[in-house]
Amino acid sequence: MNQVKKSPIDEVGKRSYSTFARINGEHPFKTQVPGGRVEYKARYKKGGKVAFFNFELAKEMGLIAKTHPNKLNPELEREILETFSLVIINEYDVINKVKIPEEDIHPHTYMATRYLQLQHPDKTGKTSGDGRSIWNGSIRSGGVTWDISSCGTGATKLSPACNINKKFYQTGDPTISYGCGLSEVGEGLETLFFSEVLGKNGFKTERVLAIIEFEKGLGINVRANPNLMRPSHFFGHLKQGNISSLKQIADYYIQRQIENKQWPQTTFKNDKEKYYYLARQVAKTFAETSAKFEDDYIFCWLDWDGDNILMDGGIIDYGSIRQFGLFHAEYRYDDVQRYSTTILEQRQKARYIVQCFVQIADFLTTGKKKSISQFRTHETLKFFDKFFIECKDRNLTQKIGFRKDQQEILLKNHRSLVTKFRNTYTYFERAQSKRGVYKVADGINRDAIFCMRDILREFPQIYLTRQAPLTPVEFTEIIKSSYAKKKDLKLTELRKKQISRFQHLYMELVGAVEKETHTSMNHVLLELTMRSSVINKYDRVTGDSITYIVQKVQKLRPKLSAEELFELAREFSSYQNLNPDQKKVTIDIPHRYKNIMQNLYSIVRDCREGL
Amino acid sequence: MKLVFYSGGLEKENSSLDRAFVELMGKKNPVVTFIPSSSYLSEQEFKNFVKHYSKFKISRFIHFPVDVPFDKILFQEVMRSDAIHLGGGNTFYFLNSLRKAKLLPQLRTFAKKGGVLTGLSAGAIMMTENIEMAGYPEFDRDENTVNISNLSSLNLVDYLFFPHFKNSARYDIVFKKYSKLHSKIIYACPDGAGIVVNGDELRFIGKCYAFAEGHKFSIN
């Protein structure tokens, strides 16, 4: 395909994939928040090939019929390329009068949105935002409005490089990496595999709709989510004290949340109620999200600029996302100029984001921007702290394997018991190697020495079998990770006490459920055995495993069609679905994939305790 | 030795074999270990296994995948259990995993010491001298995805076992030919049928067939 062509017309005179035509750069954000974006004309980018298309997501978004086979046909491929294979005509092109054939230029403009980014020297969001992405548009289907954006569509003036070096870059300029406006297929694949797994496991996340491949491993990665707003979209205007843009963006966001039925309350007496409700929703979301990140060992590099996360707590930009196999509490990513936050510091960063939203609510209500420190003890922050702990308790009861109704019983009637157990659990989870902090490939770390998933998986079945607790030596044998050295595993008096406490409190929780649900201890333990074997599966993905998997898939890629890649990603995420209530469906995959999948499983297994 | 060979099929079809299995354990509240042929999605299989055998008032189960590393504490419990069930799946992959985990001699000892060992399809083939039957007939065989050439397995009985047998001419041709060339009897069982071994006693449940010296015999 060398030029933009009109899509074929079917017999009744309509395009078979007419919904694609609505993704044309137009987006309500453009008119509702005029100060929140930069607009670019765009041209068709030649030489693209559809490397991946997410049929499942496309069906959810109403882009293709629910009955559409998971197979590309020439017409669908053409639609995907016509819609998403584009590159912006940026400031460099305009200044240098780069000649572009008129027929290649799209009729509408595409926006790059402005948001705060701490790596920009300005630190107020005046120059920062989508540096190599544009928003393709939004579409509504099944009562949900979806935002669609693409990464790798050219260098915008909002990239750090453009502002640090004070020059406009040509798209693809080899002298600059991130600022050149391009993206690689590998980045798309990493997002694809990670986001599909995390999405299946209850995390909110951006998802990959399509990957378009070009020469030299370059690609355009198309992402979708029901609302792609980040806290940082608000924070730029907040920093600048620009109340009119801040109000516009808040109203835009609130309208979308209501439209998508994400908020229980949809009408408000006045602005004050509305904006404080927004702050409360952010508090709820970020307490829940940061607790889940901590409990599932997700490292997301939350920071004060609110750049690496969506407003609904969804994960965006998988470049720095990791899932640790163990609670590596001191891992820090080395970003050349500085180290990232640790997994434990994420809670405070999330709290600070909430504090900013209280400041925003106050600003929008009173018209005066007060110092953020004034809101440190606001009731919304107190709610955040309380709800965070509640989420931690709930997450732990879920991890043990209790059913939802059993979790409710424990949290309602035996909360202090759950908290006591959590304290003991935390003792083991956060135990660290005596080796201390050391350099790893992309940062620093201090190893965690215990694998909590192993003890949660094995304890109920061993207790069920022998009807007696484990000895301290046995307990240690099960829980020890491959990082633990002999000196880390010394059975001190304190550790012995904690081992006994862990088992005692665990069985007290079992006893509480047994009593309240009028069942037998064996029955509760058996159910925990079955559920925990799924939740705490031996092989769970980590950031490292995703990196190796993507390397493996890239090696295979020349021989993998877009459909085959879709099936692989689907099969892989199904295998990593750790929801015990989800009935697993074995996808009948061809023999050739089986070998590939076996390879992927063994990568996950080998990296299961890593970063 | 106490062994049960399940061919496969629906729950209902296997009720006689199940009863025989429970009788063999001869104990109240026994511990039963489930060893899946592969850890992949084995949690669901384990759930189904538990659901099925809970009907026989068994409430203590162990889930023990062998293609992932395991610790010796859980393994000790497995060896102490009253029965071990070897699941169905790809026989080659299963044998390879058991061998890599050095479990073949341990399972042999378990059976010889009086533990009840049962197997379904691939698991049942595993209890015989070798798993050659998994590669037969060509139109209905397991893929040797792990490319193993040493097919010797638990060798607990002096016959071969073929599960999911369909009483048809094309199967007959293959097994008559095979039995002409090999000295061991092949017991071929359709789904729902199977064999119960209790010491020297060999009991066939359901309609079973034997192939020996190029001939086919009907049992029951």
Side-chain angles (χ1 to χ4, degrees):
Chain A
M1 234 182 81
N2 292 320
Q3 58 177 3
V4 187
K5 288 174 193 160
K6 286 250 165 75
S7 283
I9 308 285
D10 67 16
E11 284 171 10
V12 287
K14 284 182 185 167
R15 284 162 68 163
S16 302
Y17 299 102
S18 59
T19 320
F20 279 85
R22 282 161 35 205
I23 307 168
N24 57 7
E26 291 298 86
H27 194 285
F29 188 86
K30 276 186 181 174
T31 49
Q32 289 180 37
V33 194
R37 44 68 179 155
V38 180
E39 286 183 68
Y40 288 98
K41 281 198 155 255
R43 65 178 167 84
Y44 179 70
K45 185 169 178 176
K46 294 168 186 167
K49 202 181 116 195
V50 180
F52 167 78
F53 186 64
N54 197 333
F55 295 93
E56 224 168 43
L57 179 59
K59 284 174 190 175
E60 215 178 314
M61 293 171 70
L63 285 171
I64 55 174
K66 296 257 185 258
T67 50
H68 194 290
N70 296 335
K71 207 165 168 38
L72 281 179
N73 57 50
E75 196 180 340
L76 177 58
E77 188 166 10
R78 190 162 43 235
E79 286 284 2
I80 296 166
L81 291 174
E82 280 181 13
T83 310
F84 300 114
S85 185
L86 54 88
V87 63
I88 57 167
I89 301 167
N90 70 4
E91 292 78 3
Y92 177 94
D93 299 327
V94 174
I95 292 165
N96 292 285
K97 297 190 174 102
V98 175
K99 279 193 181 158
I100 297 155
E102 199 58 38
E103 67 269 22
D104 280 1
I105 300 173
H106 284 261
H108 299 281
T109 59
Y110 292 78
M111 67 172 180
T113 60
R114 294 180 180 275
Y115 50 83
L116 189 64
Q117 272 187 314
L118 50 75
Q119 58 267 49
H120 275 251
D122 149 74
K123 308 258 184 242
T124 63
K126 277 183 191 152
T127 58
S128 53
D130 297 315
R132 52 175 184 159
S133 301
I134 48 91
W135 291 47
N136 299 90
S138 67
I139 55 161
R140 191 160 174 82
S141 170
V144 178
T145 302
W146 293 80
D147 286 332
I148 306 156
S149 101
S150 293
C151 182
T153 45
T156 78
K157 67 173 187 178
L158 302 177
S159 77
C162 182
N163 290 287
I164 292 166
N165 303 327
K166 304 259 177 268
K167 66 179 268 200
F168 295 117
Y169 283 95
Q170 182 181 17
T171 294
D173 185 336
T175 64
I176 190 93
S177 61
Y178 177 79
C180 78
L182 301 181
S183 159
E184 289 172 1
V185 171
E187 293 174 68
L189 290 174
E190 193 156 328
T191 304
L192 166 66
F193 278 88
F194 225 154
S195 63
E196 288 299 308
V197 168
L198 294 184
K200 286 252 174 12
N201 287 296
F203 286 90
K204 289 176 181 156
T205 174
E206 63 167 333
R207 290 178 72 190
V208 177
L209 176 64
I211 302 174
I212 299 172
E213 179 187 22
F214 299 90
E215 276 183 338
K216 297 177 185 166
L218 296 172
I220 290 176
N221 301 315
V222 187
R223 302 97 53 101
N225 186 274
N227 197 340
L228 280 171
M229 283 288 111
R230 313 175 191 205
S232 59
H233 278 107
F234 291 69
F235 294 170
H237 307 298
L238 174 67
K239 284 266 170 201
Q240 294 159 35
N242 185 343
I243 193 164
S244 66
S245 285
L246 187 60
K247 187 172 179 339
Q248 284 167 357
I249 201 161
D251 289 341
Y252 162 83
Y253 175 75
I254 290 166
Q255 188 190 329
R256 172 66 69 83
Q257 289 303 88
I258 292 171
E259 216 174 83
N260 280 353
K261 297 186 177 66
Q262 291 299 302
W263 281 6
Q265 189 175 336
T266 53
T267 53
F268 304 93
K269 276 187 291 192
N270 49 40
D271 276 0
K272 188 174 179 184
E273 191 190 24
K274 182 170 71 175
Y275 297 130
Y276 275 98
Y277 186 78
L278 165 67
R280 179 94 174 177
Q281 286 300 311
V282 172
K284 189 169 179 284
T285 300
F286 277 76
E288 216 165 42
T289 303
S290 52
K292 194 160 165 61
F293 281 177
E294 203 172 286
D295 292 330
D296 281 342
Y297 312 160
I298 298 282
F299 167 79
C300 175
W301 196 351
L302 281 182
D303 220 319
W304 60 265
D305 60 355
D307 169 23
N308 279 353
I309 195 155
L310 295 172
M311 279 291 288
D312 67 353
I315 298 171
I316 187 156
D317 287 348
Y318 275 79
S320 58
I321 296 293
R322 282 179 174 273
Q323 181 169 36
F324 303 152
L326 309 174
F327 200 84
H328 295 298
E330 291 195 36
Y331 168 80
R332 285 181 196 275
Y333 178 74
D334 183 356
D335 195 28
V336 188
Q337 300 128 330
R338 69 219 150 94
Y339 280 113
S340 70
T341 49
T342 65
I343 199 165
L344 275 171
E345 287 164 357
Q346 294 187 135
R347 174 192 180 176
Q348 284 314 315
K349 298 291 180 185
R351 193 182 192 276
Y352 191 80
I353 287 171
V354 175
Q355 202 173 327
C356 286
F357 274 91
V358 180
Q359 187 191 20
I360 287 172
D362 181 78
F363 186 22
L364 292 178
T365 310
T366 64
K368 280 185 188 162
K369 188 183 160 192
K370 299 189 187 96
S371 160
I372 187 150
S373 60
Q374 287 191 32
F375 304 100
R376 201 180 301 139
T377 55
H378 190 273
E379 60 172 34
T380 309
L381 274 302
K382 286 180 190 155
F383 166 74
F384 172 90
D385 293 334
K386 201 175 152 216
F387 193 54
F388 177 87
I389 296 298
E390 196 182 314
C391 290
K392 293 275 296 176
D393 282 342
R394 184 180 297 278
N395 290 347
L396 184 54
T397 56
Q398 185 272 336
K399 259 193 197 185
I400 293 170
F402 289 112
R403 292 190 320 253
K404 265 233 150 55
D405 59 315
Q406 295 169 335
Q407 290 171 30
E408 293 304 329
I409 289 170
L410 290 171
L411 293 171
K412 203 174 150 204
N413 305 338
H414 305 274
R415 182 72 189 274
S416 66
L417 183 59
V418 175
T419 306
K420 270 189 213 166
F421 180 70
R422 183 163 55 76
N423 291 338
T424 306
Y425 181 89
T426 304
Y427 164 84
F428 290 103
E429 186 178 49
R430 297 189 188 175
Q432 293 177 321
S433 161
K434 294 206 183 316
R435 182 182 176 187
V437 176
Y438 66 98
K439 265 189 151 321
V440 291
D442 59 358
I444 52 170
N445 188 30
R446 185 171 179 187
D447 298 326
I449 53 173
F450 294 132
C451 182
M452 304 311 290
R453 290 201 313 280
D454 288 353
I455 194 72
L456 289 181
R457 190 179 62 249
E458 292 197 10
F459 182 71
Q461 53 186 332
I462 293 178
Y463 199 99
L464 178 64
T465 307
R466 59 161 79 163
Q467 308 276 301
L470 296 157
T471 66
V473 174
E474 288 175 328
F475 188 94
T476 310
E477 177 65 28
I478 294 169
I479 200 172
K480 71 177 185 195
S481 77
S482 59
Y483 291 101
K485 301 283 177 288
K486 209 175 166 185
K487 58 184 172 185
D488 296 320
L489 300 175
K490 204 172 163 197
L491 276 171
T492 60
E493 280 312 306
L494 172 67
R495 189 159 287 166
K496 282 187 201 163
K497 214 169 145 186
Q498 291 286 14
I499 289 171
S500 149
R501 207 174 142 76
F502 182 102
Q503 300 184 77
H504 176 73
L505 290 169
Y506 186 104
M507 290 311 295
E508 268 198 51
L509 290 170
V510 170
V513 169
E514 175 195 350
K515 206 172 159 190
E516 296 227 24
T517 57
H518 310 291
T519 177
S520 69
M521 182 188 80
N522 277 5
H523 184 82
V524 179
L525 282 171
L526 180 58
E527 204 173 1
L528 290 180
T529 298
M530 289 189 284
R531 294 175 65 84
S532 181
S533 71
V534 180
I535 299 165
N536 301 295
K537 192 178 177 106
Y538 179 89
D539 34 4
R540 189 190 69 157
V541 292
T542 56
D544 286 342
S545 62
I546 293 287
T547 305
Y548 294 127
I549 282 166
V550 168
Q551 282 172 9
K552 182 94 203 160
V553 170
Q554 280 200 285
K555 269 188 198 162
L556 298 164
R557 278 260 0 274
K559 288 181 189 163
L560 280 181
S561 67
E563 292 92 343
E564 286 175 319
L565 188 52
F566 167 74
E567 291 300 346
L568 275 187
R570 193 159 73 134
E571 173 71 10
F572 183 75
S573 61
S574 161
Y575 144 74
Q576 279 294 311
N577 185 345
L578 310 183
N579 177 0
D581 298 314
Q582 178 80 35
K583 198 167 164 80
K584 294 268 175 26
V585 183
T586 315
I587 302 162
D588 196 18
I589 51 171
H591 177 61
R592 188 163 82 89
Y593 302 176
K594 281 186 182 160
N595 287 342
I596 300 173
M597 291 308 298
Q598 286 297 345
N599 268 318
L600 304 192
Y601 303 153
S602 75
I603 291 172
V604 175
R605 232 164 263 167
D606 292 346
C607 299
R608 77 173 200 121
E609 291 184 345
L611 293 168
Chain B
M1 269 186 301
K2 293 173 178 175
L3 311 171
V4 182
F5 294 75
Y6 287 84
S7 168
L10 302 169
E11 265 185 38
K12 266 187 198 166
E13 295 175 284
N14 286 305
S15 55
S16 305
L17 281 165
D18 288 336
R19 273 197 301 275
F21 161 57
V22 175
E23 276 168 27
L24 278 182
M25 285 191 290
K27 189 182 172 185
K28 264 192 176 177
N29 203 12
V31 175
V32 179
T33 293
F34 171 70
I35 302 185
S37 63
S38 156
S39 61
Y40 178 67
L41 298 187
S42 68
E43 300 87 6
Q44 186 64 44
E45 278 180 77
F46 177 58
K47 214 167 149 181
N48 297 339
F49 183 81
V50 168
K51 201 176 150 199
H52 179 66
Y53 287 101
S54 294
K55 289 176 192 153
F56 297 90
K57 294 193 174 145
I58 301 170
S59 65
R60 297 193 293 163
F61 295 90
I62 298 175
H63 175 219
F64 192 67
V66 293
D67 56 348
V68 292
F70 49 83
D71 58 72
K72 62 179 183 210
I73 312 303
L74 190 62
F75 177 63
Q76 281 164 6
E77 294 304 325
V78 169
M79 287 299 133
R80 279 187 209 132
S81 50
D82 300 292
I84 295 176
H85 177 83
L86 305 172
N90 184 301
T91 322
F92 296 97
Y93 182 86
F94 198 6
L95 176 63
N96 191 41
S97 305
L98 286 169
R99 186 169 289 136
K100 271 188 179 170
K102 299 187 169 62
L103 285 181
L104 290 173
Q106 309 269 8
L107 287 171
R108 217 171 277 133
T109 309
F110 173 84
K112 284 185 176 163
K113 281 190 171 172
V116 178
L117 192 61
T118 72
L120 168 76
S121 184
I125 295 174
M126 203 63 65
M127 295 195 285
T128 64
E129 183 191 17
N130 60 56
I131 63 159
E132 270 184 29
M133 282 294 108
Y136 279 90
E138 209 171 302
F139 53 83
D140 181 18
R141 64 175 183 183
D142 283 354
E143 290 287 340
N144 187 351
T145 50
V146 281
N147 293 321
I148 51 169
S149 51
N150 178 1
L151 301 185
S152 60
S153 50
L154 287 168
N155 194 17
L156 299 172
V157 289
D158 59 0
Y159 51 83
L160 299 176
F161 181 79
F162 182 80
H164 312 300
F165 178 72
K166 288 172 189 75
N167 191 20
S168 70
R170 60 180 195 155
Y171 279 86
D172 290 355
I173 294 164
V174 174
F175 290 118
K176 278 179 184 170
K177 192 176 166 192
Y178 184 94
S179 66
K180 241 184 207 173
L181 303 168
H182 299 82
S183 58
K184 295 230 163 167
I185 297 176
I186 303 166
Y187 290 125
C189 298
D191 285 351
I195 306 169
V196 180
V197 177
N198 188 3
D200 294 334
E201 185 197 0
L202 191 68
R203 188 149 59 99
F204 293 92
I205 291 184
K207 186 97 182 147
C208 301
Y209 301 88
F211 289 89
E213 294 172 356
H215 300 284
K216 180 186 178 188
F217 306 92
S218 181
I219 310 168
N220 286 349

